[in-house]
Amino acid sequence: MIDHDPWLLTPGPLTTSRTVKEAMLHDFGSRDQRFIDINKQVRSRLVDIIDGASSHVCVPLQGSGTFVVEAMLSNFVPRDGKILILINGAYGERMRTICGYHQRATETIEWPEDQPVDPKSVAARLSADPDISHVAIVHCETTTGILNPIAEVGEVVAKAGRSYLIDSMSAFGALALSAQKISFDALVASSNKCLEGAPGMGFCLARKGALEATQGNSDSLCFDLYQQWKGLEANGQWRFTPPTHCILAFHQALNEFDEEGGVAGRGGRYRANCELLVTGMRKLGFETLLPDELQAPIIVTFKMPADANFDFQSFYDGLSARGYVIYPGKLTVAESFRMGCIGRLYAEQMQGALDAVKTVMKEMGVASGQP
Ligand SMILES: *Cc1c(COP(=O)(O)O)cnc(C)c1O
């Protein structure tokens, strides 16, 4: 039996440090000045990560990442607006579903899951349809781990004079994104992906003027980002019970993010994790779904081996028994599974996962690339 929590090589929830977990050993009242100060710091540090202090503000929201994606779409797209959603995986698809619930006029362009969003088709669609007011994109489509060209698409959207909305959930904090270089009205991410806090809250980084213009757009009380922001600006408090422990953990996670060297340091560790994983898995005979140039250092999709002895459930269980949790694929283009590089994981855990893969393959009687 393993004597520690499993290492989570998944798209989330993710492994957090002991110190992040320990930061939650406090009960703060929502009006406690110390807690109010921590909130203020967390919000301004998140804006600093995108170099956005002069242009953008941070609105936190209770819930998992999808809650704040839903809040962004339903607040920024007015009821008479029309959104173009760029889809190459499940999270883009989920944005379409959200817009359906909120009855926003929706257009989509779709690509196969192993192909990135293509800025040229976006440009063509925008010039063909002047009614499109907003464009939404997923930064790293966690379905496969593919990196979408958010900067190039951002230029196309800006040139066409439309509003740009980004789901950067699984990339934020690991891949550089500057509000000075990419023009966007709103971006969303959460506490528990590359920032390695506890799950439980998301946040929207919004261009101040664009957020002000959303007043009255929301068709939900809880998801009203404008009101959430106004409340926080007025007295530093959340409108409804804040996820206090989650925020304390997030504050500590941001300290650790800074100590690691911010985006460069965090992204660097994930890139090293990803390289170790991909190189090791290829040596064991596995193939990645994506060519290296399309792969973000976040999560890697491997094709299911063709060997008849390979059984995914046994593979999963064997790794799990050794303390490594992986994730099934959810692709239409190929049978696959995923292994994540993010969260509090280092070379030691990645190597441990590779060793476990090798052992489990042997147990199943699957020929691996190594003798
Ligand atoms: C994780 C993730 C989300 C949010 O998922 P939740 O399960 O609601 O936290 C949204 N978009 C992307 C791209 C993600 O990776």
Side-chain angles (χ1 to χ4, degrees), residues 64-66 91 94 138 140 142 167 169-170 193:
S64 87
T66 304
Y91 292 99
R94 188 176 295 171
V138 179
C140 166
T142 325
D167 169 359
M169 203 71 59
S170 61
K193 292 211 172 169

Side-chain angles (χ1 to χ4, degrees), residues 6-230:
W7 302 111
L8 304 174
L9 284 75
T10 70
L14 298 163
T15 298
T16 58
S17 69
R18 169 173 290 276
T19 35
V20 162
K21 288 185 274 285
E22 282 170 354
M24 290 187 276
L25 297 172
H26 300 279
D27 301 314
F28 272 128
S30 55
R31 290 157 186 264
D32 189 309
Q33 192 56 44
R34 289 168 300 176
F35 178 65
I36 287 175
D37 291 344
I38 284 174
N39 272 285
K40 203 168 169 195
Q41 282 180 42
V42 166
R43 289 175 62 216
S44 74
R45 291 167 85 177
L46 292 170
V47 171
D48 288 342
I49 294 175
I50 57 161
D51 210 3
S54 62
S55 52
H56 287 66
V57 295
C58 174
V59 192
L61 185 71
Q62 298 94 329
S64 87
T66 304
F67 288 56
V68 76
V69 176
E70 179 158 3
M72 172 174 74
L73 296 173
S74 59
N75 282 260
F76 280 83
V77 184
R79 287 167 219 201
D80 60 355
K82 184 176 188 181
I83 185 168
L84 172 65
I85 303 175
L86 310 176
I87 302 178
N88 61 341
Y91 292 99
E93 196 57 61
R94 188 176 295 171
M95 293 207 280
R96 187 216 315 256
T97 306
I98 289 169
C99 289
Y101 271 83
H102 293 273
Q103 300 183 321
R104 298 301 196 263
T106 302
E107 295 287 327
T108 61
I109 310 180
E110 293 174 56
W111 291 265
E113 291 145 333
D114 54 359
Q115 284 175 33
V117 164
D118 165 30
K120 283 202 199 79
S121 351
V122 180
R125 180 65 76 86
L126 291 181
S127 63
D129 189 345
D131 290 343
I132 292 170
S133 52
H134 293 71
V135 177
I137 191 168
V138 179
H139 188 178
C140 166
E141 186 33 279
T142 325
T143 312
T144 54
I146 199 169
L147 183 62
N148 279 322
I150 57 162
E152 290 81 349
V153 173
E155 266 175 45
V156 164
V157 175
K159 219 175 251 170
R162 320 297 166 87
S163 168
Y164 195 34
L165 309 176
I166 305 172
D167 169 359
S168 184
M169 203 71 59
S170 61
F172 191 86
L175 303 180
L177 196 167
S178 164
Q180 306 309 314
K181 294 189 181 136
I182 301 181
S183 169
F184 61 89
D185 280 347
L187 167 160
V188 287
S190 79
S191 54
N192 175 248
K193 292 211 172 169
C194 304
L195 293 174
E196 300 184 359
M201 61 177 276
F203 55 90
C204 177
L205 300 178
R207 199 165 58 74
K208 194 173 168 205
L211 179 64
E212 282 165 344
T214 67
Q215 185 176 6
N217 283 356
S218 185
D219 38 26
S220 151
L221 171 71
C222 293
F223 286 173
D224 192 330
L225 289 179
Y226 177 81
Q227 293 301 340
Q228 182 89 335
W229 177 59
K230 277 286 162 193

Side-chain angles (χ1 to χ4, degrees), residues 15-17 173-174 193-196 253 256-257 260 262-277 297-298 341-350:
T15 298
T16 58
S17 69
K193 292 211 172 169
C194 304
L195 293 174
E196 300 184 359
E256 295 174 17
F257 174 74
E260 195 170 7
V263 173
R266 183 62 49 91
R269 171 158 60 87
Y270 291 168
R271 259 185 293 280
N273 285 350
C274 186
E275 264 175 48
L276 193 71
L277 178 69
I298 305 294
C341 318
I342 61 177
R344 208 68 178 167
L345 302 174
Y346 294 84
E348 185 191 336
Q349 285 77 38
M350 303 317 280

